[in-house]
Amino acid sequence: MLNIPTQSFPAPSSQQRVAPSGQSGRNKVALKPGHSLMDWIRFSKSGKDLTGLRGRLIEVTQEELQKHNTRDDCWTCIRGMVYNVTPYMDYHPGGEEELMKAAGIDGTDLFDQVHRWVNYESMLKECLLGRMATKATTAIKAIIPPPPLTGLTPPIPAAPPPDKDLRPRYDWFQTDVTVHLVVYAKRKIPSSGCTVVDLEAGVLRLEVLLGKMSYMIHLCLADEVEGSVSVHTAFSVGKIQVSIRKQAKGKWTSLGQPQEFHNTFLRKKDRAPYYRDCVLLSKTEVNHNTYVFRLQLPRGTVMHVPVGQHVYLKALIHDTEVVRPYTPVDQNLAAASHLSSQESHLYLMIKVYPDGVFTQHLNNLHTGDHISVSGPEGTFAVRPLRDVTYLYLLAAGTGFTPMARLIQLALQDPDTIRKTRLLFFNRREEDILWRCELDELAAKNERFQVEYVLSEPSEGWTGRKGRVDESMLQDFLNRPEGSKCYACVCGPTAFTELTIRLLKLQGFSEGELHAFQG
């Protein structure tokens, strides 16, 4: 029997779900009746042999993997583990064409481009064939040291170490009753924050998100402390102070013992998401099928989700771990985007689908039930907005969620962004999210405008009708001479890809666009 390791999910090397500007997203296909996610879960748990190996696990050579590259016999490798994905073909939301791109080969890179939020290990557990065999030549190289360099061959100079001055650093100080940890980020910090602190059973985990990078402090504290923490941030100078009360008065000789990844500065995508257990406090109706779920973070957690980024929710559904990404909103549009540093609630606006495995699970939760929540994920940064004078937001359906906090951020900065305009696409009038709040905001603030577009309007509808097209964007966009414009797009994949193409026809460059993919 092979020793199959437990791998972290999502993988440390995988991509962010929020894609870079204009990047093509994932196409979903219409599944055959009876081939939903729940149908796959039932089928995979039916006891049928989905591997053809009758429960055995094997080592798969490169040559053997390459033989299984057809629609009816499709194997693929993800992070060293080989799966028979043939039974999954008709259940895959991206269609068989997407799966066939990885047929008979190592599909890790293809997987990471679009599937970071999918727990393949749980979904394909019954399809596991085994692991890739280690090449003999690789094994030999690992145990035989390279020959020493002779005087005839000059040594190859090593790459210079990274500039340590760019790395954040930390320090600490204390009183008899408190201990304070201070991080110096050595750069400005966005007003929406970038800090995630988790204190549990005396272990402190602090992650500071700095663009594409992540700085982490991870310590088992030297002595017992109270369970709550407070965080104070000096945004303009990049200073973060975490304060904790000691359980007993006295002086510590050290802050604590380093844990895994302590004092490391890595690319964010190279860290596996960290989940904490949250409690559902309330569910507030937004419209006929969408709710704001208010979650309580653990007592020892303070989490600042940067504007435009999302979190993952994770739940065990029918013995299968299912993960979905959602973008937090504030309690309402009137709330400030930079909430209190001690804010302990997370607000998620989620549409509940009749056949949605995960959203139905959420909808059936009761007050006091628990759900696992990751830290912030995503690539959106506010830096490109610094000199923008006109901000255009184009959203369809729940693609509005990342726009809510963007609107707030834009209106908080009266010095640069003169106008923020939202073009909001929905099917019917009753589908429009936070319509009263948007209308009220537009009435009170001349720097914000909103227009609604309905694809299935009632007879009495007097606003825009139809779907996004070139003429509609020509009418919506205004690019005064000397202005700097930026556009953000979010919605179903087809909507996002079409809108990005149309914006480019209107003269928007890659650097003036950001597509939230989903």
Side-chain angles (χ1 to χ4, degrees):
M1 179 66 73
L2 293 175
N3 180 23
I4 305 300
T6 300
Q7 301 174 7
S8 62
F9 170 79
S13 61
S14 55
Q15 301 294 317
Q16 306 290 354
R17 180 172 180 263
V18 180
S21 303
Q23 180 176 310
S24 172
R26 179 188 183 202
N27 291 315
K28 293 186 178 181
V29 300
L31 297 173
K32 300 174 183 177
H35 288 78
S36 67
L37 172 59
M38 184 56 74
D39 292 317
W40 168 252
I41 291 173
R42 293 193 190 101
F43 179 58
S44 65
K45 305 297 182 187
S46 65
K48 294 184 178 180
D49 180 12
L50 303 187
T51 64
L53 300 178
R54 298 183 181 179
R56 293 183 297 119
L57 292 173
I58 62 174
E59 284 197 339
V60 181
T61 64
Q62 190 72 36
E63 294 72 24
E64 182 65 25
L65 177 64
Q66 291 172 353
K67 296 176 184 177
H68 303 270
N69 62 358
T70 66
R71 167 64 177 80
D72 298 321
D73 182 17
C74 183
W75 292 9
T76 192
C77 174
I78 304 176
R79 271 180 278 287
M81 311 308 293
V82 182
Y83 299 88
N84 178 12
V85 296
T86 314
Y88 185 56
M89 282 285 178
D90 291 335
Y91 295 87
H92 183 50
E96 66 176 70
E97 181 180 352
E98 190 174 282
L99 278 182
M100 287 303 295
K101 292 177 183 178
I105 63 173
D106 189 322
T108 303
D109 289 342
L110 289 169
F111 177 88
D112 285 344
Q113 289 172 17
V114 291
H115 294 86
R116 177 171 166 82
W117 53 281
V118 176
N119 189 343
Y120 70 93
E121 292 175 281
S122 183
M123 295 290 294
L124 298 177
K125 182 166 55 178
E126 306 303 328
C127 300
L128 178 64
L129 297 163
R131 69 163 78 244
M132 285 296 295
T134 304
K135 292 183 179 179
T137 54
T138 303
I140 292 172
K141 287 179 182 178
I143 60 175
I144 300 178
L149 294 171
T150 67
L152 299 176
T153 307
I156 300 173
D163 186 354
K164 291 188 177 181
D165 287 340
L166 296 178
R167 287 176 52 90
R169 68 177 183 86
Y170 80 99
D171 201 350
W172 70 287
F173 63 96
Q174 61 179 316
T175 69
D176 283 342
V177 294
T178 56
V179 60
H180 308 273
L181 184 148
V182 182
V183 172
Y184 302 94
K186 300 184 181 179
R187 66 210 76 195
K188 290 183 178 180
I189 293 174
S191 60
S192 58
C194 62
T195 307
V196 184
V197 182
D198 291 283
L199 176 61
E200 184 178 9
V203 176
L204 177 70
R205 184 185 186 277
L206 164 65
E207 185 176 9
V208 182
L209 306 176
L210 301 168
K212 296 179 180 179
M213 303 298 289
S214 160
Y215 179 65
M216 182 178 292
I217 299 296
H218 197 190
L219 292 162
C220 181
L221 296 176
D223 208 337
E224 293 183 354
V225 294
E226 302 291 340
S228 60
V229 300
S230 62
V231 179
H232 302 278
T233 305
F235 300 102
S236 60
V237 297
K239 177 183 173 183
I240 301 159
Q241 180 173 310
V242 177
S243 301
I244 308 169
R245 290 189 64 84
K246 300 174 180 177
Q247 277 199 2
K249 289 185 178 181
K251 290 295 176 66
W252 293 3
T253 56
S254 72
L255 185 56
Q257 291 297 316
Q259 304 294 294
E260 187 179 22
F261 300 120
H262 172 64
N263 198 23
T264 55
F265 190 44
L266 305 175
R267 292 182 304 173
K268 178 68 178 74
K269 67 178 184 178
D270 290 336
R271 292 201 197 277
Y274 178 83
Y275 287 87
R276 71 274 304 147
D277 195 37
C278 296
V279 177
L280 177 64
L281 291 183
S282 65
K283 183 177 72 173
T284 305
E285 184 177 294
V286 178
N287 66 9
H288 60 99
N289 61 9
T290 304
Y291 303 86
V292 170
F293 293 80
R294 180 165 63 111
L295 304 179
Q296 171 79 55
L297 297 170
R299 183 187 177 198
T301 296
V302 175
M303 184 162 71
H304 302 155
V305 181
V307 170
Q309 297 199 13
H310 59 275
V311 297
Y312 293 110
L313 301 191
K314 180 173 70 173
L316 195 64
I317 303 175
H318 293 277
D319 296 324
T320 298
E321 197 173 83
V322 183
V323 179
R324 290 290 184 269
Y326 296 104
T327 304
V329 297
D330 288 334
Q331 188 171 4
N332 51 59
L333 277 178
S337 225
H338 55 283
L339 299 177
S340 161
S341 62
Q342 312 327 314
E343 176 61 53
S344 61
H345 296 168
L346 196 65
Y347 299 88
L348 300 171
M349 185 182 290
I350 299 174
K351 180 178 179 179
V352 176
Y353 294 90
D355 57 349
V357 172
F358 199 86
T359 58
Q360 285 294 332
H361 172 81
L362 283 178
N363 200 37
N364 290 329
L365 292 179
H366 298 96
T367 300
D369 286 347
H370 293 245
I371 187 84
S372 294
V373 181
S374 79
E377 296 279 339
T379 60
F380 181 83
V382 299
R383 183 182 296 272
L385 302 182
R386 285 182 178 176
D387 301 319
V388 167
T389 51
Y390 285 78
L391 177 62
Y392 297 101
L393 309 175
L394 300 98
T398 52
F400 165 71
T401 54
M403 308 306 183
R405 296 181 70 208
L406 264 174
I407 292 168
Q408 295 166 316
L409 183 69
L411 296 181
Q412 287 168 13
D413 186 1
D415 297 328
T416 54
I417 300 179
R418 300 173 195 165
K419 185 75 70 176
T420 299
R421 302 190 68 189
L422 171 66
L423 193 60
F424 196 0
F425 294 81
N426 287 278
R427 291 178 62 192
R428 295 180 295 271
E429 202 167 348
E430 59 265 31
D431 296 326
I432 301 173
L433 303 172
W434 273 359
R435 182 181 181 183
C436 290
E437 293 203 24
L438 288 167
D439 289 342
E440 183 178 350
L441 188 62
K444 289 182 176 180
N445 197 319
E446 62 181 13
R447 294 170 54 230
F448 174 67
Q449 292 179 344
V450 58
E451 292 187 66
Y452 307 105
V453 185
L454 300 184
S455 59
E456 298 177 11
S458 63
E459 290 184 5
W461 177 253
T462 58
R464 290 183 184 268
K465 305 173 185 177
R467 302 179 185 276
V468 63
D469 59 28
E470 188 173 2
S471 63
M472 186 181 295
L473 291 193
Q474 284 177 341
D475 188 40
F476 173 70
L477 300 170
N478 176 31
R479 306 194 71 175
E481 188 71 27
S483 64
K484 183 175 180 181
C485 301
Y486 197 84
C488 295
V489 182
C490 189
T493 302
F495 167 84
T496 300
E497 292 182 339
L498 173 58
T499 305
I500 289 293
R501 285 200 302 271
L502 294 174
L503 286 168
K504 288 181 178 179
L505 291 176
Q506 297 298 316
F508 280 79
S509 66
E510 287 281 347
E512 297 174 317
L513 295 170
H514 185 90
F516 295 95
Q517 299 289 352

